[in-house]
Amino acid sequence: MNEFQRRSAELNDLLCILNVLNWDARTQMPAGSSAARAQQMATLSALAQERLLDPAYEAAAREVGPEDRAARQALDAVSALRRVPPELTRELAALKGEAQDVWARARAASDFDMFAPLLTRMVELNRQLAGALGYEDYPYDALLNMYEPGLTVSTLRPLFDRLREHHVPLLRAIQARPQPRTDFLHAHYPAAQQRRLSLALAQEFGYDTRRGRLNESAHPFEISFTRSDVRITTRFQEHFLPGALFGTLHETGHALYEQGVSPDLVRTALTSDLLGLYAVAGASYGTHESQSRLWENRIGRSRAFWDLHHPQLQAAFPEQLAGVDAATFHRAVNTVQASLIRVEADELTYDLHIMLRVELERALIGGELEVRDLPEAWNARIKADLGLDVPDDARGVLQDIHWSAGMFGSFPTYTIGNVMASQFYAAATRQVPDLEGTLARGDYAPLRGWLTEHIYQHGRTYTPHELLERTTGHGLDPQPYLDYLSGKFTELYGLDHPTVGRKEQTA
Amino acid sequence: MNEFQRRSAELNDLLCILNVLNWDARTQMPAGSSAARAQQMATLSALAQERLLDPAYEAAAREVGPEDRAARQALDAVSALRRVPPELTRELAALKGEAQDVWARARAASDFDMFAPLLTRMVELNRQLAGALGYEDYPYDALLNMYEPGLTVSTLRPLFDRLREHHVPLLRAIQARPQPRTDFLHAHYPAAQQRRLSLALAQEFGYDTRRGRLNESAHPFEISFTRSDVRITTRFQEHFLPGALFGTLHETGHALYEQGVSPDLVRTALTSDLLGLYAVAGASYGTHESQSRLWENRIGRSRAFWDLHHPQLQAAFPEQLAGVDAATFHRAVNTVQASLIRVEADELTYDLHIMLRVELERALIGGELEVRDLPEAWNARIKADLGLDVPDDARGVLQDIHWSAGMFGSFPTYTIGNVMASQFYAAATRQVPDLEGTLARGDYAPLRGWLTEHIYQHGRTYTPHELLERTTGHGLDPQPYLDYLSGKFTELYGLDHPTVGRKEQTA
């Protein structure tokens, strides 16, 4: 180990430890310890940042040279973080604590005015942050780059236009059709059986519980402390089966990514998000999301999956699902319905929720939208896209924690993940012999093997764009995703024909 | 906060985080992650040590001045650790890993010769450590001081002589009497009910689960990450009720100590064992053990306790304990029986197991005993004290992990804890109005209040000796402990009269 590797390993250890503290706080910690834990995490974060910005680390990285990808990422992160004034970092940290607190109370009271002054300040500080980090075209680009290296407003705009042109008419067509039966999804499903079935399916996908575990938490998540310890959580709702079931498959997708990184990259800068001071092997938030969506939706919500696993499902819940065949279950868990709440949205309308947020936060950061005008803009977009009236801000502009936590620029990664998932899946279909046949037999090794070879093992060696180019020969391209959604919902809802989205064929 | 306080707070944060990693490794971590976790803990330990030995910390402590107890403890720890050559620290750390591994295999094979070379080296390194740390009379004193500040061989020798003179004849007298019924302790006790009952009793003692939680682990322990998060573990044996039940009450005693420290001492050098780089509020290992023993044995194994809680016990296990009244249960859980294994020993014979180990390890460190002669010395002492033949080294000299982990000097603290527990209890009995009456009513607040006022709240402000002097007017004095054991077992076994131990009355 050279000095750069030694220091990178130590940094990765500290970031992994921060993740342990985070996991513990969300799954185990008694309520009375939240202040003490926050203090401990602040101390360790400060220490990690101190080590990252230690001139000796930069010198060691220069010694290795920027043609080494690990060294270059370290140098980039150091240079970016050095541009942020410590005063701004402190102010942001302090504001986050206060803003989340006020946001929680404002949401409970459905009172946007209560939150508005803090949001205004948060937008202002994030504009300053964008200015400090630097950008070419839009300040929002600087923030995007923290979650999705290389992604810009100029890429997002046409992409979102295509998605909206596709999704909204498809949603309208679906809304004109009868809905499938879903009553049985709300029977009583004891948590213990839900847990057993979910974990069994996760293990069939290839989740290695010798290097992971499943716990419960209020908000499901995946987190890793090296590839040897990749944990997932879920939340069991005893009167709604799909929540924990598909939630677990979603987090399993994230976990397969983290468990699949090459052992050679453990404790290196290529399994550390140094800019975000976060231990993670995945290349970006969007790339990560592409894997959770791929396993949850492309596999877990497919007809082949339920044709195969229907006996397991029936064995777990014989009474609750008496007389519900694979096709009926598959239809039910693919219901599309416009709703107000993002986290409850289906596969099609989810993107509409995301795009709304992205466009509004971009406008806020760009100075084109004032905080006071935000609720009206929100409600107008919900009406236009989903056809719904927002009854109060709690079910509207106040529903997400992200802005109060200062996370401007993270929302796009959910939709980017959907798009990338279909690109990767299409490439795998072309390159893996009889991929569909293997999946229909429940043999997930060929798909997982392809993903590991082309994506997982590389950790953060390549940017998301490079990963796409290497595997598909293209940059971001929504066509495979649009084809998938059109095909699936046209069939499920008995629509006349794929409605839209085949732009390159009609042009 | 001055600079010393600021740095002490940061250090305490790091030590608390090490405890979180330790707790997680022993209760949650998947098996595949042990190497990665060991690495993470090594990194954080090294960082904590680096901060402790940072000249700026010593300067900040000097600025405050050694008349301040926190500063003095910091200065003492720094000075002691500076005396240990880094090469020795590295060698010891490396040897511990290897020795524990070899010990585990040697124990499995009951082959002392396999372990002997590593133990020889471990003794040698610990002699070097003692030399580096410094001592007045015996090298073993230097090691004792790491666990029990101020304790010396000169104090232990006469103390152990008195205990052995008391315990051995009392054991002989008991062995001549019929044993009580204990068959019902081995019925089937489902873990879930054991857990409910144990935790309910812990909460009656005053364990605050808003600042703690109970988990399972192979070896029960208590650990704290500030007074806001004090966790205990137990191990449920479904065919032996006392294990988890009294184990939980034992760990609860430790937990009450940690939860009872003054909020003013949180994140200070007075809730950090700086010499041992361990976050703990208790004054010493022995003082800590005095509290676990007090709550487990003085309260939990008392007749008054089971007279009061017998209905709860019956409600939890109506079939298993059908026809077993409070007196019968109380007798059964106070059975005295010579046995080979320390961790299964009863209240009386436990000290004999401890004293054996202490005398042998002192002789090893003092150069009076060779490792090759250890099994013979062990077996001879077991025969003399307990009247048993040791059939193999696995059930003899190889049974404990301590020596392979380099822990020379920690064994005495178990017996010191027993002695101190009775001194504190006697003092509380004198000072709390009608203490017995409150306990008989299940009102544990007066006892807990007294212990909090005189012991818990002070954290590591006072040495164990100072705590004893302040509360009892004496240093270590075994008489209250001997009176307690004689009185209890004379009555339970229908002996003619207290056998021995009233030295000051017969002299």
Side-chain angles (χ1 to χ4, degrees):
Chain A
M1 259 197 196
N2 62 37
E3 178 70 5
F4 171 67
Q5 289 165 331
R6 198 189 61 69
R7 286 175 174 270
S8 295
E10 186 197 46
L11 245 174
N12 184 264
D13 285 338
L14 299 182
L15 301 182
C16 284
I17 294 170
L18 269 171
N19 282 0
V20 176
L21 296 176
N22 187 330
W23 177 86
D24 181 84
R26 294 165 75 178
T27 65
Q28 306 290 330
M29 192 181 74
S33 190
S34 54
R37 178 58 54 88
Q39 183 66 66
Q40 289 154 2
M41 293 182 72
T43 291
L44 194 59
S45 290
L47 213 56
Q49 170 141 358
E50 183 186 311
R51 296 275 164 163
L52 177 64
L53 297 183
D54 185 334
Y57 186 54
E58 187 180 357
R62 285 207 191 289
E63 181 79 16
V64 172
E67 64 286 357
D68 175 272
R69 283 185 175 248
R72 194 178 69 207
Q73 293 198 17
L75 291 168
D76 286 350
V78 167
S79 143
L81 288 173
R82 286 247 174 81
R83 289 195 295 272
V84 181
E87 182 51 32
L88 176 57
T89 305
R90 269 194 298 276
E91 241 190 299
L92 263 169
L95 184 62
K96 280 175 195 176
E98 190 190 353
Q100 287 182 63
D101 198 49
V102 172
W103 163 77
R105 284 185 283 124
R107 185 173 72 159
S110 198
D111 180 356
F112 182 76
D113 290 345
M114 189 192 293
F115 180 50
L118 285 130
L119 181 56
T120 302
R121 183 75 188 137
M122 188 60 92
V123 169
E124 172 54 30
L125 291 184
N126 272 277
R127 287 164 59 101
Q128 289 179 25
L129 178 63
L133 290 168
Y135 53 86
E136 282 188 24
D137 299 324
Y138 299 93
Y140 188 61
D141 291 346
L143 305 179
L144 274 178
N145 193 57
M146 293 197 297
Y147 303 96
E148 205 60 25
L151 188 66
T152 61
V153 170
S154 305
T155 306
L156 277 181
R157 264 197 183 131
L159 177 73
F160 279 14
D161 287 346
R162 289 228 8 231
L163 294 182
R164 185 173 275 117
E165 280 166 24
H166 169 270
H167 286 22
V168 174
L170 181 56
L171 175 62
R172 293 287 176 275
I174 288 170
Q175 285 173 323
R177 301 285 302 160
Q179 285 288 20
R181 262 189 77 189
T182 56
D183 55 303
F184 50 83
L185 297 179
H186 299 275
H188 181 244
Y189 293 90
Q193 278 103 296
Q194 285 196 50
R195 187 190 151 81
R196 234 182 336 264
L197 176 66
S198 302
L199 192 55
L201 294 174
Q203 288 175 301
E204 294 204 33
F205 280 173
Y207 179 50
D208 178 0
T209 51
R210 238 187 63 86
R211 299 187 286 134
R213 57 178 294 140
L214 169 65
N215 285 70
E216 286 183 62
S217 66
H219 300 282
F221 64 101
E222 172 277 326
I223 196 163
S224 74
F225 331 131
T226 80
R227 72 193 291 282
S228 307
D229 198 347
V230 179
R231 305 188 188 179
I232 59 178
T233 73
T234 194
R235 184 168 67 99
F236 297 107
Q237 300 158 265
E238 295 216 319
H239 286 281
F240 186 59
L241 179 60
L245 183 57
F246 291 100
T248 303
L249 300 187
H250 180 97
E251 302 308 332
T252 296
H254 285 303
L256 292 176
Y257 198 165
E258 295 290 313
Q259 289 193 332
V261 70
S262 164
D264 296 343
L265 299 190
V266 168
R267 301 183 76 229
T268 71
L270 296 175
T271 46
S272 309
D273 172 3
L274 294 174
L275 188 54
L277 282 176
Y278 183 63
V280 64
S284 70
Y285 281 70
T287 317
H288 234 302
E289 196 70 10
S290 79
Q291 296 313 301
S292 55
R293 301 286 167 141
L294 191 157
W295 288 98
E296 175 196 354
N297 290 335
R298 294 303 303 248
I299 311 299
R301 289 188 204 267
S302 71
R303 178 64 191 270
F305 184 80
W306 289 112
D307 282 343
L308 182 73
H309 294 288
H310 190 253
Q312 265 169 284
L313 182 71
Q314 284 287 342
F317 305 110
E319 288 161 28
Q320 297 90 330
L321 295 174
V324 176
D325 64 14
T328 306
F329 188 79
H330 174 245
R331 281 222 59 189
V333 299
N334 282 292
T335 305
V336 170
Q337 188 155 36
S339 67
L340 292 167
I341 307 295
R342 173 181 62 87
V343 297
E344 296 166 5
D346 56 73
E347 209 177 343
L348 179 66
T349 58
Y350 198 91
D351 289 325
L352 297 171
H353 286 278
I354 291 302
M355 293 191 282
L356 147 80
R357 285 154 177 78
V358 174
E359 285 158 1
L360 295 179
E361 68 177 19
R362 179 188 51 69
L364 286 170
I365 297 295
E368 300 154 33
L369 178 66
E370 296 293 325
V371 165
R372 65 166 173 274
D373 299 324
L374 189 59
E376 196 185 322
W378 181 289
N379 298 348
R381 177 51 81 184
I382 290 286
K383 184 74 181 177
D385 285 356
L386 297 168
L388 299 174
D389 294 305
V390 176
D392 51 50
D393 290 336
R395 280 173 282 184
V397 70
L398 285 175
Q399 69 184 264
D400 297 307
I401 196 175
H402 297 59
W403 291 336
S404 71
M407 293 177 73
F408 292 85
S410 80
F411 276 126
T413 65
Y414 296 107
T415 286
I416 294 293
N418 283 332
V419 170
M420 290 176 79
S422 281
Q423 289 186 263
F424 289 134
Y425 190 80
T429 305
R430 287 192 298 273
Q431 295 172 33
V432 178
D434 188 28
L435 179 65
E436 286 204 0
T438 63
L439 294 173
R441 291 191 300 276
D443 178 6
Y444 301 106
L447 175 60
R448 198 176 62 250
W450 187 91
L451 293 166
T452 301
E453 183 189 342
H454 292 91
I455 305 173
Y456 302 168
Q457 67 163 330
H458 302 298
R460 300 173 67 84
T461 306
Y462 302 110
T463 65
H465 185 79
E466 287 171 328
L467 280 176
L468 282 173
E469 287 281 352
R470 288 167 55 96
T471 50
T472 72
H474 289 281
L476 267 182
D477 173 11
Q479 197 56 51
Y481 179 48
L482 300 183
D483 289 345
Y484 156 68
L485 288 177
S486 298
K488 174 171 178 170
F489 292 115
T490 295
E491 187 184 333
L492 280 175
Y493 280 92
L495 307 180
D496 289 342
H497 51 81
T499 41
V500 284
R502 304 208 152 262
K503 206 170 195 176
E504 86 281 40
Q505 295 178 351
T506 57
Chain B
M1 262 199 195
N2 60 37
E3 179 70 4
F4 171 66
Q5 289 165 330
R6 198 189 61 68
R7 286 175 173 269
S8 296
E10 186 198 45
L11 246 174
N12 184 264
D13 286 338
L14 299 183
L15 300 182
C16 284
I17 294 169
L18 269 172
N19 282 359
V20 175
L21 296 176
N22 187 330
W23 177 87
D24 182 83
R26 294 164 74 177
T27 66
Q28 306 290 331
M29 191 181 75
S33 190
S34 54
R37 177 60 54 86
Q39 183 66 65
Q40 289 154 0
M41 293 182 72
T43 292
L44 194 58
S45 289
L47 213 58
Q49 170 140 359
E50 182 186 312
R51 295 275 163 165
L52 177 65
L53 297 183
D54 186 333
Y57 187 54
E58 187 180 357
R62 287 205 189 289
E63 180 80 16
V64 172
E67 63 286 356
D68 177 271
R69 283 184 174 249
R72 195 178 67 205
Q73 293 197 17
L75 290 168
D76 286 350
V78 167
S79 145
L81 288 173
R82 286 250 175 78
R83 289 195 295 271
V84 181
E87 181 51 33
L88 177 57
T89 305
R90 268 194 298 276
E91 243 190 296
L92 264 169
L95 184 61
K96 281 175 197 177
E98 191 190 352
Q100 287 182 62
D101 199 48
V102 173
W103 163 77
R105 283 186 284 123
R107 186 173 72 158
S110 197
D111 180 355
F112 183 75
D113 290 346
M114 189 193 290
F115 181 49
L118 287 129
L119 182 56
T120 302
R121 183 75 188 137
M122 189 61 92
V123 168
E124 172 53 29
L125 292 184
N126 273 276
R127 288 165 58 100
Q128 290 180 23
L129 179 62
L133 291 168
Y135 54 87
E136 282 188 23
D137 299 324
Y138 298 94
Y140 188 61
D141 290 348
L143 305 179
L144 274 178
N145 193 57
M146 294 197 297
Y147 303 96
E148 204 61 26
L151 188 65
T152 63
V153 171
S154 307
T155 306
L156 276 182
R157 263 196 185 134
L159 178 73
F160 279 14
D161 287 346
R162 291 235 358 238
L163 294 182
R164 185 173 276 119
E165 280 166 25
H166 169 271
H167 286 22
V168 174
L170 181 55
L171 174 61
R172 292 291 175 273
I174 288 170
Q175 286 173 323
R177 299 286 303 160
Q179 285 288 19
R181 265 189 74 191
T182 56
D183 56 300
F184 50 83
L185 297 179
H186 300 275
H188 182 243
Y189 293 90
Q193 278 103 296
Q194 285 196 51
R195 186 189 150 82
R196 235 184 334 266
L197 177 66
S198 302
L199 192 55
L201 293 174
Q203 288 175 300
E204 294 203 33
F205 281 173
Y207 181 49
D208 178 0
T209 51
R210 239 188 62 85
R211 299 187 286 134
R213 59 179 293 138
L214 170 65
N215 285 70
E216 285 183 64
S217 66
H219 300 282
F221 64 101
E222 171 278 327
I223 198 164
S224 75
F225 331 132
T226 79
R227 72 193 293 280
S228 308
D229 197 347
V230 179
R231 304 188 188 179
I232 60 178
T233 74
T234 195
R235 183 169 67 99
F236 297 106
Q237 300 159 264
E238 294 217 320
H239 286 283
F240 186 58
L241 178 61
L245 183 57
F246 291 100
T248 304
L249 301 186
H250 180 97
E251 303 308 332
T252 297
H254 285 303
L256 292 175
Y257 197 165
E258 295 291 312
Q259 289 193 331
V261 71
S262 164
D264 295 344
L265 298 190
V266 169
R267 303 182 77 231
T268 71
L270 297 176
T271 45
S272 309
D273 172 2
L274 294 175
L275 187 54
L277 283 176
Y278 183 63
V280 63
S284 70
Y285 281 69
T287 318
H288 233 302
E289 196 69 11
S290 78
Q291 297 311 302
S292 55
R293 300 286 168 140
L294 191 158
W295 288 98
E296 175 196 354
N297 291 334
R298 293 304 303 248
I299 310 300
R301 288 188 206 266
S302 70
R303 177 65 191 270
F305 183 80
W306 289 112
D307 282 343
L308 181 73
H309 293 289
H310 190 253
Q312 265 169 283
L313 181 71
Q314 283 287 342
F317 305 111
E319 288 160 30
Q320 296 91 329
L321 295 175
V324 176
D325 63 15
T328 306
F329 188 79
H330 173 245
R331 283 221 58 189
V333 300
N334 282 292
T335 304
V336 170
Q337 189 155 35
S339 67
L340 292 166
I341 307 296
R342 174 182 61 88
V343 298
E344 296 168 4
D346 55 73
E347 209 177 343
L348 180 66
T349 59
Y350 198 90
D351 289 324
L352 297 171
H353 286 279
I354 291 301
M355 292 190 283
L356 149 79
R357 287 157 177 76
V358 173
E359 285 157 1
L360 295 179
E361 70 178 17
R362 179 189 50 71
L364 287 170
I365 297 296
E368 302 152 34
L369 177 69
E370 296 294 324
V371 164
R372 65 168 172 272
D373 300 324
L374 189 59
E376 195 185 322
W378 179 290
N379 298 350
R381 177 51 82 185
I382 290 286
K383 184 72 180 179
D385 285 356
L386 297 167
L388 299 174
D389 294 306
V390 177
D392 52 48
D393 290 336
R395 281 173 282 182
V397 69
L398 286 174
Q399 70 184 262
D400 297 307
I401 197 173
H402 297 58
W403 291 336
S404 70
M407 294 177 72
F408 293 85
S410 79
F411 276 127
T413 64
Y414 296 106
T415 285
I416 295 293
N418 283 332
V419 170
M420 290 177 77
S422 280
Q423 289 186 263
F424 289 136
Y425 190 80
T429 304
R430 287 192 299 274
Q431 295 172 32
V432 178
D434 187 29
L435 179 66
E436 285 204 2
T438 62
L439 296 174
R441 291 191 299 276
D443 178 7
Y444 302 106
L447 175 60
R448 200 176 60 249
W450 187 91
L451 293 166
T452 302
E453 182 188 342
H454 292 91
I455 304 174
Y456 303 167
Q457 68 162 327
H458 302 298
R460 300 173 67 84
T461 306
Y462 302 111
T463 64
H465 185 78
E466 287 172 330
L467 280 176
L468 281 173
E469 287 280 354
R470 288 168 56 96
T471 51
T472 71
H474 289 281
L476 265 184
D477 173 12
Q479 196 58 53
Y481 179 48
L482 300 184
D483 289 345
Y484 156 68
L485 289 177
S486 298
K488 174 171 177 171
F489 292 116
T490 294
E491 188 185 332
L492 281 174
Y493 279 92
L495 307 180
D496 288 341
H497 51 80
T499 42
V500 283
R502 302 205 154 264
K503 206 171 195 175
E504 86 282 34
Q505 295 177 350
T506 57

